[in-house]
């Protein structure tokens, strides 16, 4: 009797484990799997504030946590929500707090995510010692142009040098424009003058000549508005004066259905013409409260998200996208809008993917030709056979010529490149790979790619 009970328990446990295993496999949707195959473009997320658990889950690298897993499986770039801003990273005149930024880099390096630096010069979130007041406009310490320039130089040089080679892209100046396109009257602009921007870029470049330097702004995304013209004209004049500004950052804090993608693309195009790249730095798409919780709103949001991704994948103008938080759970939008809007992210507040997530995934599959691949496989020029620990290709069409087989992990990273002789009708051992899901991309003699997924036990 006791033995039977134990056996029953065992069976239940085994069933539980097996179902858990399948659930896990199903749950391993991964945008990174697809995005990792688009060269020189990144798809990132900001991680939530130091004041809440999420940032620490990431920084203390708890990969078992859902929050951390979502990051690792879906993104390949990372921005700190607040931790590298002036007040956080330079809390005393001579005191820097670089620990959180270091942790961001460690986490990124361990999981193959590229950390972005946000942000060196801004009118907001300044430390109280600077004396810029609550607005960031005041000069309570009566700085002169020279004394404030020297503070700014010390700030930029210390931080960019510290992260040299680890942080490859910086939002050097953040939100320097007013709505009418003139320069915002921050402490920097008022005390130093308009050329604080020039100096900031020059010092950042001197500290790390290989870093990509971004001028970042919100509400200046579509071509032709006063603000977008002001930003474009400023960047153009910086470029003409030899100032090292490499990209225009479009924050893209959008409202459902309000993005004019043609005009955003036109704006990106004019930057491209002057040799400046664009990057979407803080994407989220808020849903007005009266439409929240409806399928229609989620579907419309999905279509907006895909259109933003297309600005990156289908042009040469845009080299990356960062979403401003990936889960509604920690999004800044509800509090910021006094709860008149929300649900702005790709995952809901239970950290589950929303229609926008699946829409991006499906779009990327089509974009990368996965649909064609399915079609191709109907013709079956080959079969990829996986055994317990081995892989081989059996040719169904003997005339089919394979040039190379490349194995990717779910993060889209290449884990192996195999020659024809090693795998066609020859068992190729997979001992060197961890257990998990992989994609084999088989390239034929005409450089056509065929993808197939397999599981290594
Ligand atoms: O996400 C940040 C939020 O936690 C802060 O309270 C807020 C303070 O201004 O800054 C948020 O991030 C901003 C970013 O640094 C610059 N662009 C606008 C973002 C949303 O406010």
């Amino acid at each position: 009797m006791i033995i039977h009970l134990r056996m029953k328990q065992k069976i239940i446990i085994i069933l539980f484990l097996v179902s858990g295993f399948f659930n896990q496999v199903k749950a391993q949707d991964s945008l990174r799997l697809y995005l990792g195959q688009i060269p020189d473009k990144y798809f990132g997320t900001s991680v939530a504030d130091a004041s809440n658990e999420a940032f620490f889950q990431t920084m203390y690298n708890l990969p078992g946590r859902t929050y951390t897993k979502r990051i690792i499986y879906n993104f390949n770039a990372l921005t700190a929500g607040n931790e590298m801003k002036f007040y956080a990273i330079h809390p005393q005149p001579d005191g820097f707090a670089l620990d959180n930024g270091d942790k961001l880099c460690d986490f990124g390096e361990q999981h193959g995510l590229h950390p972005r630096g946000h942000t060196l010069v801004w009118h907001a979130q300044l430390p109280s010692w600077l004396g810029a007041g609550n607005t960031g406009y005041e000069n309570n310490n009566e700085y002169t142009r020279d004394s404030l320039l020297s503070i700014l130089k010390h700030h930029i040089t210390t931080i960019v040098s510290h992260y040299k080679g680890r942080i490859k892209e910086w939002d050097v100046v953040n939100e320097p424009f007013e709505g009418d396109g003139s320069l915002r009257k921050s402490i920097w602009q008022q005390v130093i003058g308009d050329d604080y921007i020039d100096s900031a870029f020059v010092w950042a470049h001197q500290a790390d000549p290989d870093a990509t330097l971004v001028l970042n702004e919100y509400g200046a995304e579509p071509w032709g508005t006063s603000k977008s013209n002001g930003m474009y004209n400023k960047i153009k004049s910086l470029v003409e004066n030899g100032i090292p500004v490499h990209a225009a950052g479009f924050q893209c804090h959008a409202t459902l259905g309000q993005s004019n993608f043609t005009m955003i693309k036109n704006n990106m195009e004019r930057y491209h013409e002057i040799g400046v790249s664009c990057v979407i730095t803080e994407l989220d798409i808020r849903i007005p409260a009266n439409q929240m919780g409806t399928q229609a709103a989620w579907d419309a949001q999905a279509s907006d998200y895909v259109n933003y991704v297309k600005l990156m994948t289908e042009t040469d103008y845009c080299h990356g996208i960062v979403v401003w938080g990936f889960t509604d759970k920690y999004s800044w939008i509800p509090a910021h809008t006094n709860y008149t809007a929300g649900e702005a992210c790709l995952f809901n507040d239970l950290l589950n993917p929303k229609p926008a997530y699946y829409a991006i995934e499906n779009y990327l599959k089509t974009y990368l030709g996965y649909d064609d691949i399915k079609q191709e496989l109907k013709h079956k020029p080959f079969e990829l056979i996986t055994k317990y620990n081995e892989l081989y290709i059996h040719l169904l069409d003997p005339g089919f010529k394979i040039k190379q087989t490349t194995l990717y992990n779910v993060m889209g990273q290449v884990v192996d490149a195999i020659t024809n002789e090693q795998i066609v009708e020859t068992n190729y051992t997979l001992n060197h790979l961890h257990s998990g899901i992989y994609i084999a991309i088989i390239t034929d003699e005409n450089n056509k790619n065929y993808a197939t997924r397999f599981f290594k036990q």
Side-chain angles (χ1 to χ4, degrees), residues 44-46 79-82 85 116 118 171 251 253 281-284 305 322-327 330-332 345:
T45 180
S46 75
T79 305
N82 287 307
K85 291 172 178 171
R116 295 189 78 255
H118 177 79
D171 291 333
Q251 289 187 9
H253 291 293
T281 49
E282 304 182 16
L283 177 63
D284 50 20
Y305 261 108
V322 174
V323 292
W324 205 244
F326 63 90
T327 158
Y330 300 120
S331 166
W332 71 297
C345 302

Side-chain angles (χ1 to χ4, degrees), residues 196-209:
Y196 82 91
I197 296 182
D198 309 44
S199 300
F201 278 96
V202 168
W203 290 325
H205 184 65
Q206 281 171 352
D208 186 353

Side-chain angles (χ1 to χ4, degrees), residues 99-158:
D99 278 14
N100 280 329
D102 290 348
K103 287 192 194 113
L104 185 92
C105 293
D106 294 344
F107 179 83
E109 282 155 16
Q110 184 166 0
H111 298 290
L113 288 92
H114 139 99
R116 295 189 78 255
H118 177 79
T119 174
L120 296 168
V121 195
W122 194 21
H123 66 279
Q125 293 182 281
L126 293 169
S128 56
W129 66 259
L130 191 71
N134 288 335
T135 56
Y137 296 180
E138 294 158 35
N139 182 10
N140 293 323
N141 290 341
E142 298 182 6
Y143 295 116
T144 60
R145 172 179 157 89
D146 282 352
S147 63
L148 196 59
L149 273 174
S150 117
I151 288 173
L152 191 59
K153 182 173 186 183
H154 179 50
H155 178 74
I156 293 175
T157 309
T158 306

Side-chain angles (χ1 to χ4, degrees), residues 170-313:
W170 280 99
D171 291 333
V172 177
V173 180
N174 194 36
E175 303 175 3
F177 297 99
E178 303 280 3
D180 66 2
S182 65
L183 283 182
R184 184 191 283 276
K185 289 168 192 57
S186 62
I187 185 173
W188 313 111
Q189 187 273 344
Q190 288 207 303
V191 178
I192 297 172
D194 292 357
D195 63 346
Y196 82 91
I197 296 182
D198 309 44
S199 300
F201 278 96
V202 168
W203 290 325
H205 184 65
Q206 281 171 352
D208 186 353
D210 295 326
T212 301
L213 304 182
V214 181
L215 192 155
N216 195 36
E217 186 54 89
Y218 70 90
E221 294 88 2
W223 181 92
T225 67
S226 305
K227 196 171 189 180
S228 89
N229 288 345
M231 175 167 165
Y232 170 75
N233 289 332
K234 179 70 186 176
I235 290 183
K236 186 164 179 274
S237 86
L238 292 171
V239 170
E240 283 164 1
N241 289 316
I243 304 296
V245 54
H246 308 119
F250 289 18
Q251 289 187 9
C252 299
H253 291 293
T255 299
L256 186 70
Q258 307 274 304
S259 306
N260 185 332
F261 293 102
T262 307
M263 286 303 162
I264 300 175
K265 193 171 162 193
N266 289 347
N267 200 23
M268 289 183 166
E269 190 171 0
R270 65 173 163 173
Y271 284 105
H272 182 71
E273 280 162 8
I274 58 166
V276 170
S277 183
C278 291
V279 53
I280 293 173
T281 49
E282 304 182 16
L283 177 63
D284 50 20
I285 304 173
R286 68 192 72 171
I287 298 180
N290 61 359
Q291 296 175 56
M292 275 165 48
T294 65
Q295 191 65 42
W298 294 334
D299 290 346
Q301 184 185 49
S303 139
D304 279 355
Y305 261 108
V306 169
N307 281 325
Y308 275 105
V309 172
K310 284 183 181 172
L311 287 172
M312 173 176 82
T313 50

Side-chain angles (χ1 to χ4, degrees), residues 35-51:
L35 287 155
Q37 292 177 47
I38 304 175
D40 304 324
K41 307 250 173 175
Y42 64 74
F43 190 68
T45 180
S46 75
V47 284
D49 307 357
S51 57

